[in-house]
Amino acid sequence: MPRLPWRRLPLAAAARGAVALALPLLVGQLTGWVVPSVIAAIGALWGVSQDGSDPYRVRVRRLGVTGVSSALGLLAGELALRSGQSAAVAACLVGAALVAGAVGLRGRIASVGGMHLLLGVTIGSGIPAPGPWWLPPLELLAGVALVLLLSAAPWLWRRHHVERAAVLAVYRSAAEALAAAGSEGAEEARRRMTLALNHAHEVMAGHLGAPARQLRQPEVGELVRAFHCAVRLGEAVTALVWEARPLPPAVTGVPLHLAERLLPERDAAPAPPLPAVPAVGTGSPGGRALAELCVAVDEEPGADGLTLRLPSRTWPGRAARLRYTVLLTGCVLVAHLLAEGLHGPRGYWLPMTVAFVYKPDFGPVFTRALHRCVGTVVGVAAIGAVSLLTTGPYTVIAVVAVFGALMAVGVRHHYALATLGLTAVVFVLLDLLGDDRPLYGTRILDTALASALVLVAHFAVWPDSAASRAEAQTESAVDAARRYRDLAPEAGPIRRQALRRDAYHQLAEARRTVAHARGEPARPGRSLPDWEGAITAAERLCDQVTAQAVAGATAGRP
């Protein structure tokens, strides 16, 4: 696993993970309601797995879908288990897998909902829960609600912190790109700036089309204006980088001065007027565009009319969704039958692992399966060693808090680390439920079997899924770059920026899908095309078009 610098560790998320998992268990220990607290902790466990660093409205939506879908799944699985019919359990799992597969490739929120519906069914049909049938789903929902509360609570005092950080990152990366101009790292620095602008565009998407009354709110209006200026800054910086000549510090520091002017710190003194861009910077089209932006920031109090929408995403077609649905359902059914044959009742780990691993929209299936196995082995070893040293319920709760924090860090940085934390926490929760079976070796075997089942099914029936997606996305991105080339010379500033944003967004998405395809094993005797070369050529074409457009826009101006 990669080493994580302390400055990059998501310490707030780690604290939320520790509190969300330990608090229900602590309440259960103090009140004697151990089983309800464990079920709530399972909900918190799944909530932590979906607690991201997105804007608060996105977190609420994703965690809300996680809670509702997992509670519904738990209810369905529990009712099937209480019926006493093994066929009812199998039918419930198959139905949940069909739903999860049908929605699994239709976007992040839908995919999360489908996966947790299936996870809820596996737990509900595998772990008997005492009490009335309606109580466990509410307990599970309460655990997810606790994570939602902890994750969204900072909205009360730093409402737009995520959006502000994303926009500021654009200005910092623009300064780095200008500092790298004329060097070998200039193209990569420009690419990092574009990725930061793409991320800011995604984070700000909910505000860019907001009604006028929302834009009149000082903080929202400030952010929207800063983002629009960042878009114009990105164009000027791209033109300067394309000119391939070193720039003086007075020019490279302009983006940071712009950020200070547009997004001052709360309660800070008003930022001074922007310094004039020196003549050495204004002697080129890119420099003149940068100077004009500085003047506009000082003179124009409002937004400049720029309206940008995110490009529509291209999801897999009906045939791909149908194939995934059939494969996921088949894997879940076979995993359930294997679990019944190997372990009898309560063999939920096999189908649960299939639900976690078989998510081609979350990354390469092969890598995900490998990391799942590694994380499980290390997690089993870690909790086994800890269990020999810990005694007493409060010490166990502290152990859960530690592994919950590790899981929260892993969710953002490495799937194997997330699996390590999840595996260790689940062992403790099962022990609190009174399941004293020797499960260390069983969990490793089940994880390996489920991962092997997914890999065999996926690569035997659908070996080209990632490559086909990469091919289609690369073609779409190259088409967007050519469209920008063809239309930009005659387009106005607003239309030109929209074309440019669309092209760079699609090129970044193409790089992501290509990296996904490279992470999957290639078919024997078949090499993948040089998609990266086509993407790089298209990026350079966009850079050239941007430089030419800026030169045309500033031609003849004093």
Side-chain angles (χ1 to χ4, degrees):
M1 291 178 216
R3 296 179 63 186
L4 304 177
W6 281 106
R7 62 183 177 87
R8 292 181 54 200
L9 283 176
L11 298 180
R16 291 197 299 268
V19 172
L21 287 168
L23 185 59
L25 300 181
L26 183 60
V27 171
Q29 182 63 36
L30 294 175
T31 61
W33 298 344
V34 175
V35 173
S37 72
V38 170
I39 296 176
I42 293 174
L45 185 71
W46 290 345
V48 170
S49 73
Q50 298 302 323
D51 179 23
S53 55
D54 318 89
Y56 295 113
R57 66 185 186 280
V58 179
R59 299 187 203 182
V60 170
R61 191 182 312 131
R62 186 173 58 247
L63 286 168
V65 169
T66 298
V68 172
S69 58
S70 58
L72 290 175
L74 182 71
L75 176 61
E78 182 191 8
L79 293 176
L81 181 64
R82 293 189 182 207
S83 72
Q85 302 293 324
S86 59
V89 172
C92 191
L93 282 168
V94 167
L98 287 171
V99 173
V103 303
L105 301 180
R106 292 179 177 269
R108 181 76 179 190
I109 300 294
S111 180
V112 165
M115 180 178 72
H116 283 88
L117 177 73
L118 181 54
L119 289 173
V121 170
T122 61
I123 294 298
S125 62
I127 301 179
W133 58 270
W134 48 266
L135 187 57
L138 293 180
E139 294 163 351
L140 188 81
L141 193 58
V144 180
L146 174 61
V147 178
L148 191 155
L149 177 64
L150 293 172
S151 182
W155 177 86
L156 296 173
W157 62 87
R158 53 177 196 176
R159 187 163 298 185
H160 302 294
H161 168 75
V162 175
E163 293 92 333
R164 179 186 175 87
V167 175
L168 284 172
V170 179
Y171 288 90
R172 287 193 293 269
S173 61
E176 293 170 0
L178 290 178
S183 68
E184 293 182 356
E187 186 174 2
E188 182 60 33
R190 196 279 306 153
R191 188 175 294 135
R192 288 195 299 270
M193 180 194 69
T194 301
L195 289 175
L197 190 51
N198 289 347
H199 176 64
H201 195 174
E202 292 169 356
V203 167
M204 289 291 297
H207 298 297
L208 298 179
R213 65 179 183 277
Q214 183 177 339
L215 293 179
R216 283 195 292 269
Q217 298 175 13
E219 193 171 1
V220 175
E222 182 182 80
L223 280 168
V224 169
R225 185 179 182 225
F227 172 75
H228 287 163
C229 290
V231 173
R232 294 174 60 183
L233 175 65
E235 186 178 54
V237 170
T238 300
L240 282 167
V241 171
W242 180 257
E243 293 167 10
R245 59 191 181 94
L247 298 168
V251 176
T252 61
V254 167
L256 298 182
H257 287 298
L258 283 169
E260 184 181 2
R261 181 78 171 171
L262 291 164
L263 293 173
E265 294 293 335
R266 184 177 297 179
D267 300 326
L274 292 164
V277 177
V280 68
T282 57
S284 68
R288 289 195 296 272
L290 190 62
E292 290 172 5
L293 178 58
C294 292
V295 173
V297 166
D298 273 336
E299 293 183 351
E300 297 176 15
D304 55 8
L306 181 62
T307 301
L308 296 174
R309 296 188 181 276
L310 286 171
S312 57
R313 292 184 180 272
T314 55
W315 305 113
R318 182 179 301 176
R321 295 197 302 268
L322 179 61
R323 187 178 298 188
Y324 172 63
T325 301
V326 172
L327 284 173
L328 177 63
T329 304
C331 287
V332 167
L333 180 58
V334 172
H336 170 68
L337 296 176
L338 277 174
E340 287 284 318
L342 290 173
H343 313 304
R346 305 178 69 177
Y348 54 86
W349 196 269
L350 264 162
M352 185 179 73
T353 302
V354 169
F356 274 121
V357 169
Y358 201 10
K359 296 297 298 173
D361 54 320
F362 283 13
V365 176
F366 177 80
T367 304
R368 193 170 176 85
L370 178 63
H371 289 170
R372 187 81 193 178
C373 291
V374 171
T376 300
V377 170
V378 178
V380 166
I383 197 62
V386 169
S387 64
L388 296 176
L389 304 174
T390 57
T391 57
Y394 295 105
T395 307
V396 169
I397 292 173
V399 168
V400 168
V402 170
F403 282 109
L406 281 176
M407 180 182 171
V409 173
V411 165
R412 289 158 179 76
H413 289 285
H414 205 285
Y415 185 59
L417 183 60
T419 301
L420 186 161
L422 182 143
T423 301
V425 170
V426 169
F427 266 97
V428 175
L429 298 182
L430 291 177
D431 185 62
L432 293 174
L433 286 175
D435 191 348
D436 55 358
R437 295 176 294 172
L439 297 174
Y440 294 108
T442 302
R443 291 297 177 246
I444 294 174
L445 175 63
D446 285 355
T447 300
L449 284 174
S451 299
L453 175 63
V454 167
L455 292 177
V456 169
H458 182 70
F459 290 107
V461 181
W462 203 11
D464 298 326
S465 61
S468 299
R469 172 70 172 158
E471 181 77 27
Q473 185 60 50
T474 301
E475 290 178 359
S476 178
V478 171
D479 288 343
R482 290 171 178 165
R483 187 163 57 251
Y484 175 44
R485 176 198 63 190
D486 296 338
L487 300 180
E490 304 298 328
I494 295 175
R495 174 62 174 160
R496 186 178 72 240
Q497 291 290 2
L499 290 167
R500 182 173 178 271
R501 290 275 71 243
D502 180 74
Y504 280 114
H505 257 292
Q506 295 209 41
L507 288 166
E509 180 66 14
R511 282 197 180 276
R512 188 189 68 80
T513 56
V514 167
H516 182 161
R518 298 289 184 198
E520 303 282 27
R523 296 176 66 179
R526 178 182 176 182
S527 59
L528 297 177
D530 182 21
W531 294 309
E532 292 90 346
I535 294 169
T536 299
E539 288 174 340
R540 289 173 179 167
L541 173 64
C542 290
D543 291 349
Q544 181 182 7
V545 172
T546 298
Q548 292 171 347
V550 169
T554 59
R557 295 179 187 173

